[in-house]
Amino acid sequence: MALSPKLEIRQGQSLVMTPQLMQAIKLLQMSSLDLTSYVDAELERNPLLEAVETDGPTIDERPSEEAFTASGSADHRDADPGDGGADGGAGAADGDGEWLHTELNTGAEEIAARLDTDLGNVFPDDPGTRSAATASDPRQPDPWQTGLSGRGAGTGSGSGEDYNLEAFVASDTTLASHLGDQMVLALADPVDRMIAQQLIDSLDEAGYLRIDLDEAAERMGIDRIRLDRVHGVLKTLEPTGVFATSLGECLALQLAEKNRYDPAMARLIDNIELLARHDFPALKAACGVDDEDLAEMIGELKALDPKPGSSFGDTLIQPVVPDVIVRPARDGGWQVELNSDTLPKVLVNQTYYATVAKSARNDTEKAFLTDCLQTANWLAKSLDQRARTILKVATEIVRQQDAFLSQGVQYLRPLNLRTIADAISMHESTVSRVTSNKYMATPRGIFELKFFFSAAIPASGGGDAHSAEAVRHRIRQLIDAEKPEAILSDDTIVKLLNDEGIDIARRTVAKYRESLRIASSVQRRREKRARMG
């Protein structure tokens, strides 16, 4: 068969991943925080984009005091905005508002008369106190009026300078700063302080020193003896237990401070792995104590803090903000709506574009403006499409998991991405991107959208499958209800679940139990017997 080149015309369809399409896919899987950061960056880069501000009413737009009084409640939406005119102001001055002017004008004089001295002598450093002579002098600026009407409106500063409100906000004390303040008092030598600062910076979040001390000494160019001496001083700092290299040492430092680190307690700490396994007979033999003394020693250990540095966490924990809110509807269904606080709102300034486009001097400026306009239109369209897609997916999830919202986690249905994708005529990858890093607020709490997708456990009688999350919940219920004299083994749990119509294997029960951080039947039996005895 001869091979020869030739030309052919074919008609076909293909999907081209343009930069706009790739960016739209990226926007779809962004969390609300990442999306806000991205939109803020686009607002700085693109002059045609404007953020939609949703601030509250200004001072002049707020209802007057009479409007609140006339309506009989704090809801000013029922009051007539016209009531806050001149008549309302006069009424306030003649009525309840009269005490305000009286106390502000005569309060300082009355206090000065009672103290028989000028207020400036009592509070010399207080800029808000003025003498009677100063108060009567119209040439002297009133700090209250300056604060309300001057350049620093609302600050109450007589000099007109704005207060830095961030200076009044209490910040959390970090573990490093807390230890650094104590270290400068415990160590006087500058070299020792530098060594101590290196050790402070090497602590983990729990307050443990997880580094090799020999390598640290070699890296800092000092001998190990000096490093151990500084390390010993740092172990005396608060909170007790920091700078320990192991859990046993951390507990030993805290017991030593309480004068409870006796030989029996030392042997208990040396065999702490037996305590983790609840092997109490072996612990009694190792410590040489009876049941009563062992129970008392274990109680003292439980009162200690195994992570003394955790209370000084310097990591900012971002609270979960739901993207979708689900509320009960009047017709017995569910009302699904987007959380408007998490949705960035942008507008394309067409007027500014028309004005600037007329003054474009060359092709480079015209191309830049055209690119900005296209990018702005695409971003506004992509944000709208993203919101619609999230709402569509969330609505279908709520429809599929109606029993969970009404009756609890035991009624959670098995669900996969294909079911949702087929119901809303979308691709599975789109549903997967929508459910990533998105949260839903329901009457039963805030859940990630991925929570509603769980594997299916077949039914033993051929009925409807059970959700894996519901089976985990049932396993926890069975274990919580067990009696100390009748601890349920994994085989027993399998039999009980089979009787309830759940076809599950023993290894699956063990896997679910471990994922719930529930100990084995042997360890639970030892622990409950120790509590009883």
Side-chain angles (χ1 to χ4, degrees):
M1 181 178 179
L3 298 178
S4 61
K6 59 181 179 179
L7 297 176
E8 291 184 357
I9 299 177
R10 294 182 180 180
Q11 185 178 6
Q13 294 181 348
S14 62
L15 179 62
V16 179
M17 295 292 292
T18 61
Q20 288 81 3
L21 180 58
M22 296 176 63
Q23 193 63 42
I25 294 175
K26 184 179 179 181
L27 284 180
L28 194 60
Q29 62 187 6
M30 281 185 179
S31 64
S32 58
L33 295 178
D34 295 337
L35 181 65
T36 302
S37 301
Y38 175 80
V39 172
D40 291 342
E42 286 294 321
L43 289 172
E44 294 181 1
R45 189 191 69 84
N46 197 330
L48 301 182
L49 279 175
E50 291 184 357
V52 180
E53 301 292 342
T54 57
D55 295 339
T58 59
I59 297 178
D60 297 333
E61 296 173 347
R62 293 172 183 171
S64 63
E65 182 181 356
E66 185 180 356
F68 285 88
T69 307
S71 62
S73 65
D75 190 357
H76 64 270
R77 290 175 294 182
D78 298 333
D80 186 3
D83 293 342
D87 296 339
D94 297 338
D96 297 336
E98 186 176 356
W99 64 271
L100 178 64
H101 303 281
T102 303
E103 290 193 6
L104 285 179
N105 292 333
T106 62
E109 298 175 358
E110 293 178 357
I111 296 175
R114 287 198 303 267
L115 297 178
D116 196 22
T117 183
D118 190 88
L119 284 184
N121 298 328
V122 182
F123 307 106
D125 297 331
D126 189 357
T129 57
R130 299 184 304 159
S131 63
T134 305
S136 61
D137 190 356
R139 295 173 297 175
Q140 298 293 333
D142 189 350
W144 290 94
Q145 294 178 357
T146 305
L148 293 175
S149 60
R151 181 170 56 89
T155 62
S157 173
S159 61
E161 297 181 358
D162 293 341
Y163 279 128
N164 181 14
L165 296 181
E166 295 182 356
F168 297 91
V169 179
S171 59
D172 294 336
T173 303
T174 63
L175 178 63
S177 61
H178 180 70
L179 295 175
D181 295 339
Q182 301 177 67
M183 177 265 295
V184 296
L185 300 177
L187 297 172
D189 188 271
V191 179
D192 291 342
R193 289 183 177 180
M194 294 178 62
I195 298 172
Q197 189 60 50
Q198 290 290 329
L199 296 180
I200 291 175
D201 295 338
S202 301
L203 292 177
D204 61 7
E205 296 180 356
Y208 287 89
L209 192 62
R210 303 290 191 182
I211 63 175
D212 188 278
L213 295 180
D214 291 329
E215 294 181 359
E218 183 179 357
R219 184 179 66 253
M220 288 184 281
I222 59 176
D223 53 28
R224 177 63 187 271
I225 298 178
R226 185 167 192 173
L227 180 63
D228 290 340
R229 179 171 56 82
V230 175
H231 187 202
V233 174
L234 294 179
K235 290 180 182 179
T236 62
L237 303 182
E238 294 291 337
T240 308
V242 292
F243 294 99
T245 57
S246 63
L247 175 61
E249 185 180 6
C250 177
L251 300 178
L253 290 174
Q254 299 180 50
L255 289 171
E257 184 188 38
K258 297 180 179 181
N259 198 21
R260 283 293 296 124
Y261 192 61
D262 51 23
M265 190 67 76
R267 288 191 294 269
L268 175 60
I269 293 179
D270 293 338
N271 297 274
I272 199 169
E273 67 279 356
L274 297 177
L275 179 60
R277 297 199 302 264
H278 299 280
D279 192 354
F280 300 113
L283 274 177
K284 289 190 295 183
C287 299
V289 295
D290 54 13
D291 292 339
E292 184 179 354
D293 292 338
L294 181 62
E296 182 180 354
M297 294 165 62
I298 293 176
E300 292 182 7
L301 283 185
K302 290 182 178 181
L304 303 178
D305 187 2
K307 297 180 179 180
S310 59
S311 59
F312 295 89
D314 55 355
T315 302
L316 179 62
I317 300 177
Q318 180 65 36
V320 174
V321 180
D323 300 89
V324 182
I325 301 176
V326 179
R327 298 186 179 94
R330 294 182 179 179
D331 57 357
W334 300 99
Q335 179 182 354
V336 184
E337 60 184 12
L338 294 175
N339 186 2
S340 59
D341 295 337
T342 63
L343 297 176
K345 303 174 181 64
V346 295
L347 292 177
V348 182
N349 196 335
Q350 299 282 359
T351 304
Y352 181 71
Y353 170 76
T355 304
V356 177
K358 296 178 181 179
S359 60
R361 293 172 294 183
N362 48 47
D363 295 339
T364 303
E365 295 180 356
K366 293 180 180 180
F368 173 74
L369 291 175
T370 303
D371 179 68
C372 289
L373 181 62
Q374 293 177 351
T375 304
N377 288 328
W378 164 83
L379 180 60
K381 181 179 179 181
S382 298
L383 292 177
D384 179 70
Q385 185 64 32
R386 177 183 181 273
R388 293 176 183 272
T389 305
I390 294 176
L391 183 60
K392 185 181 296 185
V393 172
T395 302
E396 182 61 25
I397 291 176
V398 170
R399 191 184 71 84
Q400 294 283 348
Q401 301 291 358
D402 175 73
F404 161 75
L405 297 175
S406 302
Q407 305 179 49
V409 67
Q410 62 269 24
Y411 293 93
L412 188 68
R413 294 180 51 190
L415 188 64
N416 53 32
L417 298 175
R418 178 180 293 274
T419 303
I420 299 295
D422 293 342
I424 61 177
S425 301
M426 287 186 178
H427 196 270
E428 292 181 45
S429 61
T430 303
V431 179
S432 177
R433 292 185 179 95
V434 169
T435 55
S436 298
N437 303 317
K438 311 294 189 307
Y439 294 87
M440 177 186 295
T442 70
R444 297 196 174 274
I446 299 179
F447 302 93
E448 189 179 7
L449 295 184
K450 292 286 188 183
F451 168 80
F452 298 97
F453 297 88
S454 60
I457 304 297
S460 57
D464 295 336
H466 302 271
S467 169
E469 193 65 33
V471 174
R472 287 192 184 93
H473 179 72
R474 183 54 183 159
I475 292 174
R476 178 180 288 277
Q477 285 183 332
L478 291 174
I479 294 178
D480 291 342
E482 66 184 2
K483 298 180 180 179
E485 63 274 7
I487 301 297
L488 300 178
S489 63
D490 293 343
D491 292 327
T492 307
I493 295 176
V494 169
K495 184 178 181 303
L496 293 175
L497 294 178
N498 288 334
D499 294 340
E500 296 178 2
I502 303 175
D503 187 10
I504 190 172
R506 181 186 178 279
R507 62 179 180 273
T508 306
V509 171
K511 181 179 69 174
Y512 287 173
R513 176 178 54 76
E514 292 174 357
S515 66
L516 295 172
R517 296 186 178 181
I518 299 177
S520 63
S521 59
V522 177
Q523 294 179 351
R524 297 200 308 272
R525 184 178 295 107
R526 290 174 179 172
E527 183 176 358
K528 292 188 177 183
R529 285 180 178 177
R531 292 175 181 175
M532 294 178 61

